[in-house]
Amino acid sequence: MSVLQELLNLVLTPPGDLYYHLALLFTLQILLAVAWGHRMRTGREGGATRLLSAATGLLLTRVILIFASAAAGSGVVASAKLLPPLERFLDLCLIPLSAWAFLPILRQHPRAGLGFLGGTLLAATLVYAYFAVGWPPAEAAGIAYNTYWQAQVWESGSLLLAALALLALLIWPRPGLGLLAAALVTWLVGHLAQLLLPPLAPHLAPLTRLSNLTALPLLAALAFQEALHPTPAPSPAPRPDGAIRLLELAQRIQQASDVEAALAAALPEIAHHMGVEMVAIGLPAVGASPAVRIVALHPDPHTSLPTLPLERQPLLSAAVHTRHPQYMDAANPVPEGMALLRRLGFHQPGPLLVEPLMNGEDVQALLLLGNPSGKPPFTEDQMRQAHTVASLIASALASASYRRTVERKAERLTAALREQEAERAERLTTLQEELERVQQEAQEFARQLTAMEEEATRQRKRADELAELLRIREEQVREAATSSAQAAAYEEEIQELARTREALEKELEEWKRQVRELEKREAQLQKELQASREQAVSVPGAAVEPSGTIVADERGHIVLADRIARRLVGRTEAELLGLPLHAAFSDPSWAQTVSELMAGQTPDGLTAAVTLQQDGQRIRAKLARLAAGAQAPSGYVAVLREETGQDDRAEIVASLTNELRTPMTSIVGYTDLLLGESVGILGETQRKFLQRVKANVERLSGLINDLIEVTAIDAGRIELTPEPVDIVTVIEGAIMGLSAQFRERDLSVRLDMALELPPIRADRDSLYQIILHLLSNACQCSRPGTEVIVTGHLEEPQDPAVPPYLRISVTDTGGGIAPEDQPRVFQRLYRADNPLIAGLGETGVGMSIAKTLVEAHGGRIWVESEMGAGSTFNFILPVTGPGPARKERK
């Protein structure tokens, strides 16, 4: 007992207490140095950062205690009032810091470990604050701290923490932690002895100090051992090259013509990247009841892949309906999960994870990951990796589906444009033929008019002669008044001459009227031909090709051939003049068509058309009989045009869309990967630049969609598929699609919608395009730092027979649109550098597309603007919608 007493006095009385503090300080400095070196060698792997933080905390407790002892020794504060509760508090903190640094269970669950450490230290700090206030009065009354109830609380708490840490180490052991167990047992014995034995000192805890002198060097030795043999991290973060490999897999899936085959080829690499044994992908099955069809499974079962009804697979059904991952732990397998593994060909229990592949709010597929051989459960890092892989595959599937949709739309547009071009070319040819016929008739009428004018001049001279003769006759009548019979004859002759003159004047007026009508008809045909030419030129990809003309006489011999015709025939003018028309080309179809026209055996007897080959070029010819009627024809005319291959605009749109979609998907994938910091931490400037890249990619996607819509409008067909649509959901989706652009311009969006809006029947994609164009315009013209307001409400018309309609308004903070510019807002204008209309953000055709789509739904769109304040774009749509699916031709 005397030896124990001397040992206790050595750590309680000067200078032994100083040696105690210096020994612990030196030990913890060694622990800190070992942790720092371990951290510098291994980085953040193997718990090096956690060990360094714990060593810093342990050293900090001793530094605080040494400074407090120095202050008490200098007389600044009474030692009995300050040190007893402070030393007990700092001794207690040693146990949770050591447990947090070394216990395996707390290392496997970092968040739980931080919660345990933070909660323990916070509770101890609050208790110390309360005890530090209540102890001085008790000390003044002469009470020893070791006999005071506070000392019992401190020792009980330290015992409880040491016992819990030791129990956790026994339940979740790990090789190499014998030193930790020895340290915890030392603390447990020291605090238990301090609690049960009679007080050996009035205020300090000598037995606790002895246990600290034993336990802390053991912890330093344990840290040195771990630094020499670091424990690998349970689930290392995915390497950047693995992430890039996943992006390449997603691109292959997106670009594949057979998506299911591409998915099956990608599963082995996904399993290798994730470190799992089983990977499967299921797509929704078409049938009477909801089901999932397994389209790809790794490893290959060499049997047919099953189709799983959702009503019999609760895990799959929960993933589809909740849109959240579903997990089955191998330690607690559920019958439904075991049944699912058996359907996939695995008969051993193991962890199973079901990840839904989302496309917006819809589940487009399910990703199943598992370890049927009973490997350990998935870690949090594996869960995050699974979510990242699911997002990439979902994006690739959505892009592949969108690409197929665009290709089908491009094919329809191609057919429509070809049909329209053929119709317009036919109409142009007909108008040209009509113009030529009218010109010939006009020339004939001009010759007849000239002849009639000459005849009228002769008649006028004759009338003048008759008038002069009449005057002479009248004089003769007056001179020969004596003869009444002769006077009556003269009078009758005068009346006959007057009637003849009046008839000639009427005939002359009739000829003049016919000439004026002919001139009007010729002018009208000229205008129609010019309009048709302008309309044909305005067709995307269409152009008016020059044509050549060959004229033959009534016997079929060529009498005229212009320069273009001679070039197409391949002969000189001298060779063509006098040549029979049917011998102009060597193609048999030409001779047969000319013979049928000259024989009057064509369908209408007047015109014929033929397409022939001449020297490797394709020529289309239109033939017609001149002055055909009851009499024999006065001649024949042939209009020749070379058919050249033109770039079809719809094919260009489809090609450009497919070519642009591939790099855009890569850019979006890499940008999202970088913004998610999967390959490294980003600085503020780097994040800002990446967000700007993403905003410009979204703008490029909008321009491509505008190009597709313009092509559809130019083709004259807008396809609508009406269905019940929630307008609020569509508006929120458009806002999310432009989120990057709004952030770049520091704009906010406020929704002011009525509480209850009924769904409207409309085409969802077209309605989304309308909202997107209006919001994009507001984003581009609004002042930075302001707010864009979107309002919507239901309006009831005064007439009960008129159905109600929904009114949507988008208000910006631009400078306003001048009154003279407002009528041109919805016209198709384009300039790439800046807007054509001040106060309008659009530089392209967005407003024109929005107007066309609104009117296709039976609605109306207009703008209200105030100079200096901004503009409000309004549109209304009937609640009943445009009716069943239809095609509208403009």
Side-chain angles (χ1 to χ4, degrees):
M1 188 64 180
S2 60
V3 177
L4 178 61
Q5 185 65 40
E6 291 179 2
L7 186 60
L8 296 178
N9 292 334
L10 182 62
V11 297
L12 291 176
T13 60
D17 58 345
L18 178 61
Y19 295 151
Y20 162 77
H21 292 304
L22 292 177
L24 292 187
L25 186 63
F26 180 75
T27 300
L28 293 178
Q29 285 179 345
I30 295 176
L31 175 60
L32 180 62
V34 171
W36 174 258
H38 183 43
R39 172 67 169 78
M40 295 301 294
R41 288 193 305 273
T42 62
R44 296 187 178 185
E45 298 180 356
T49 302
R50 176 193 297 260
L51 181 59
L52 180 61
S53 301
T56 304
L58 293 172
L59 182 61
L60 186 60
T61 62
R62 298 303 100 186
V63 171
I64 294 174
L65 188 58
I66 289 174
F67 274 103
S69 300
S74 62
V76 176
V77 64
S79 175
K81 292 183 179 180
L82 174 64
L83 292 180
L86 179 61
E87 185 173 1
R88 298 300 207 289
F89 163 67
L90 295 176
D91 288 340
L92 183 141
C93 292
L94 296 176
I95 300 175
L97 283 170
S98 303
W100 176 68
F102 296 102
L103 276 181
I105 185 63
L106 297 183
R107 285 192 171 189
Q108 292 179 3
H109 303 281
R111 295 183 179 177
L114 284 176
F116 164 78
L117 179 63
T120 305
L121 294 182
L122 179 61
T125 303
L126 295 176
V127 171
Y128 166 73
Y130 176 75
F131 285 3
V133 174
W135 165 241
E139 191 274 336
I143 301 175
Y145 196 83
N146 283 332
T147 61
Y148 195 50
W149 61 272
Q150 290 186 7
Q152 313 301 319
V153 173
W154 287 119
E155 299 302 329
S156 299
S158 299
L159 276 172
L160 178 61
L161 290 176
L164 289 177
L166 185 60
L167 181 63
L169 183 60
L170 294 176
I171 296 176
W172 295 284
R174 197 191 73 192
L177 291 183
L179 294 176
L180 176 61
L184 292 175
V185 170
T186 301
W187 270 323
L188 188 63
V189 172
H191 286 286
L192 181 61
Q194 183 66 34
L195 177 64
L196 299 179
L197 294 179
L200 302 177
H203 298 299
L204 301 178
L207 296 176
T208 301
R209 288 189 173 188
L210 288 177
S211 65
N212 291 339
L213 280 174
T214 305
L216 292 179
L218 292 175
L219 294 180
L222 179 60
F224 185 76
Q225 176 183 335
E226 183 166 327
L228 291 178
H229 305 285
T231 302
S235 56
R239 298 181 300 171
D241 55 349
I244 294 174
R245 184 61 180 168
L246 287 179
L247 280 176
E248 294 175 352
L249 289 177
Q251 289 181 0
R252 289 207 302 266
I253 294 172
Q254 173 198 342
Q255 299 172 3
S257 57
D258 189 349
V259 176
E260 295 184 5
L263 289 173
L267 289 190
E269 298 190 34
I270 295 175
H272 176 72
H273 176 78
M274 291 293 302
V276 297
E277 298 176 352
M278 183 274 292
V279 183
I281 290 183
L283 299 179
V286 178
S289 59
V292 173
R293 179 172 58 91
I294 303 299
V295 299
L297 177 62
H298 173 78
D300 189 1
H302 301 291
T303 58
S304 60
L305 298 176
T307 297
L308 309 174
L310 291 182
E311 59 184 8
R312 299 181 183 177
Q313 300 296 335
L315 279 180
L316 302 184
S317 178
V320 171
H321 291 93
T322 64
R323 297 177 175 85
H324 292 291
Q326 302 297 316
Y327 179 65
M328 181 189 75
D329 195 350
N332 299 302
V334 296
E336 297 83 356
M338 292 299 300
L340 177 57
L341 287 174
R342 285 194 296 270
R343 286 300 307 274
L344 297 176
F346 303 97
H347 301 284
Q348 296 181 1
L352 179 64
L353 176 63
V354 181
E355 277 278 356
L357 307 183
M358 304 299 297
N359 181 14
E361 295 295 328
D362 300 329
V363 178
Q364 58 179 345
L366 292 177
L367 175 65
L368 286 74
L369 304 170
N371 291 319
S373 63
K375 282 190 176 181
F378 289 177
T379 63
E380 294 184 3
D381 287 340
Q382 286 181 311
M383 294 288 191
R384 287 193 295 270
Q385 291 183 38
H387 184 70
T388 301
V389 172
S391 300
L392 287 175
I393 297 177
S395 177
L397 291 176
S399 299
S401 176
Y402 184 79
R403 177 175 59 82
R404 291 193 297 271
T405 302
V406 169
E407 289 176 351
R408 289 193 294 269
K409 184 179 289 187
E411 292 175 357
R412 292 195 297 268
L413 289 174
T414 300
L417 281 174
R418 288 176 176 171
E419 180 182 352
Q420 190 176 35
E421 288 178 4
E423 293 177 356
R424 291 183 178 178
E426 186 72 21
R427 181 183 177 188
L428 181 61
T429 303
T430 303
L431 288 175
Q432 287 179 338
E433 294 175 353
E434 182 68 17
L435 178 61
E436 292 173 358
R437 188 161 49 250
V438 170
Q439 287 176 344
Q440 293 174 358
E441 293 179 358
Q443 293 174 359
E444 182 66 25
F445 274 112
R447 290 194 296 269
Q448 294 179 7
L449 179 61
T450 301
M452 291 175 61
E453 288 178 348
E454 294 175 355
E455 180 67 21
T457 301
R458 289 194 297 271
Q459 293 293 338
R460 191 178 299 110
K461 290 180 180 180
R462 181 182 177 188
D464 293 339
E465 292 175 356
L466 290 176
E468 181 64 20
L469 180 60
L470 179 61
R471 185 183 61 78
I472 295 173
R473 292 285 187 179
E474 288 178 350
E475 292 179 355
Q476 291 177 356
V477 169
R478 285 194 296 269
E479 292 176 356
T482 55
S483 178
S484 58
Q486 188 177 3
Y490 284 150
E491 184 69 25
E492 183 178 354
E493 186 177 356
I494 290 172
Q495 292 177 357
E496 182 65 23
L497 290 175
R499 287 192 297 270
T500 302
R501 178 179 180 179
E502 182 179 357
L504 289 175
E505 290 178 350
K506 289 182 179 180
E507 186 176 358
L508 180 61
E509 290 297 329
E510 179 65 21
W511 279 106
K512 289 181 178 180
R513 184 186 63 79
Q514 293 182 6
V515 169
R516 287 194 298 270
E517 290 181 355
L518 185 60
E519 290 175 350
K520 290 180 181 179
R521 183 181 178 188
E522 181 180 5
Q524 182 178 2
L525 287 174
Q526 287 283 2
K527 290 180 180 179
E528 291 182 1
L529 179 60
Q530 182 64 25
S532 177
R533 286 174 176 174
E534 294 176 355
Q535 184 178 12
V537 172
S538 66
V539 175
V544 178
E545 294 292 336
S547 59
T549 304
I550 297 178
V551 180
D553 57 15
E554 66 277 5
R555 295 177 302 169
H557 293 168
I558 298 175
V559 297
L560 177 64
D562 60 11
R563 178 180 56 83
I564 298 177
R566 294 195 299 270
R567 178 179 62 83
L568 295 177
V569 174
R571 301 188 183 186
T572 63
E573 184 177 7
E575 293 174 344
L576 285 175
L577 294 180
L579 186 71
L581 184 59
H582 62 79
F585 293 98
S586 58
D587 195 319
S589 59
W590 165 263
Q592 180 180 356
T593 303
V594 172
S595 300
E596 291 177 354
L597 179 66
M598 297 180 67
Q601 298 176 356
T602 59
D604 58 358
L606 301 176
T607 61
V610 63
T611 301
L612 50 96
Q613 298 287 339
Q614 177 73 8
D615 296 333
Q617 61 182 353
R618 188 178 178 88
I619 300 175
R620 182 171 179 80
K622 292 283 188 176
L623 299 94
R625 295 161 61 98
L626 297 177
Q631 302 177 354
S634 60
Y636 303 91
V637 62
V639 179
L640 310 178
R641 180 178 293 104
E642 180 181 3
E643 290 190 352
T644 58
Q646 301 178 358
D647 294 335
D648 192 282
R649 179 172 178 177
E651 295 177 356
I652 294 177
V653 170
S655 177
L656 286 177
T657 303
N658 290 331
E659 293 297 328
L660 289 175
R661 286 289 172 187
T662 300
M664 281 178 57
T665 302
S666 299
I667 294 173
V668 170
Y670 281 110
T671 304
D672 290 339
L673 188 65
L674 292 174
L675 286 174
E677 297 186 346
S678 298
V679 295
I681 299 176
L682 297 177
E684 184 63 26
T685 303
Q686 295 170 330
R687 181 175 294 277
K688 185 176 180 180
F689 286 166
L690 285 175
Q691 289 174 349
R692 185 167 297 176
V693 169
K694 186 174 182 181
N696 282 280
V697 172
E698 292 176 354
R699 183 171 180 266
L700 178 60
S701 178
L703 292 176
I704 292 176
N705 292 333
D706 288 349
L707 184 60
I708 295 174
E709 294 296 335
V710 167
T711 308
I713 292 173
D714 287 340
R717 294 181 179 178
I718 301 176
E719 295 188 1
L720 301 180
T721 306
E723 59 177 324
V725 178
D726 183 8
I727 187 65
V728 178
T729 303
V730 175
I731 293 175
E732 290 175 348
I735 293 173
M736 291 299 295
L738 295 172
S739 59
Q741 299 182 25
F742 279 114
R743 283 196 302 269
E744 183 180 8
R745 293 185 56 82
D746 192 19
L747 295 173
S748 60
V749 182
R750 175 161 60 91
L751 287 180
D752 186 10
M753 311 295 291
L755 293 179
E756 294 184 0
L757 290 176
I760 63 174
R761 283 189 58 80
D763 183 80
R764 182 183 296 273
D765 293 338
S766 299
L767 190 56
Y768 178 83
Q769 289 294 325
I770 296 169
I771 301 296
L772 194 69
H773 285 304
L774 297 183
L775 286 175
S776 175
N777 174 75
C779 174
Q780 295 175 31
C781 69
S782 294
R783 297 188 300 274
T786 58
E787 184 179 56
V788 176
I789 303 175
V790 182
T791 60
H793 59 276
L794 189 66
E795 294 190 359
E796 297 286 346
Q798 297 180 354
D799 187 359
V802 178
Y805 54 86
L806 190 65
R807 176 171 177 172
I808 305 297
S809 302
V810 178
T811 303
D812 58 58
T813 60
I817 303 173
E820 61 271 16
D821 288 333
Q822 292 182 15
R824 300 190 301 121
V825 166
F826 298 101
Q827 295 179 4
R828 183 181 300 176
L829 307 173
Y830 183 80
R831 190 166 68 209
D833 51 355
N834 56 5
L836 292 169
I837 300 176
L840 189 68
E842 278 286 338
T843 59
V845 295
M847 292 295 104
S848 172
I849 293 174
K851 179 176 183 295
T852 302
L853 295 178
V854 168
E855 292 178 350
H857 282 79
R860 183 171 65 91
I861 187 170
W862 72 95
V863 61
E864 300 172 353
S865 182
E866 180 181 353
M867 295 303 295
S871 306
T872 299
F873 285 84
N874 309 275
F875 70 90
I876 59 175
L877 294 176
V879 175
T880 56
R886 63 180 185 179
K887 293 183 179 179
E888 178 180 316
R889 180 180 293 277
K890 294 182 63 179

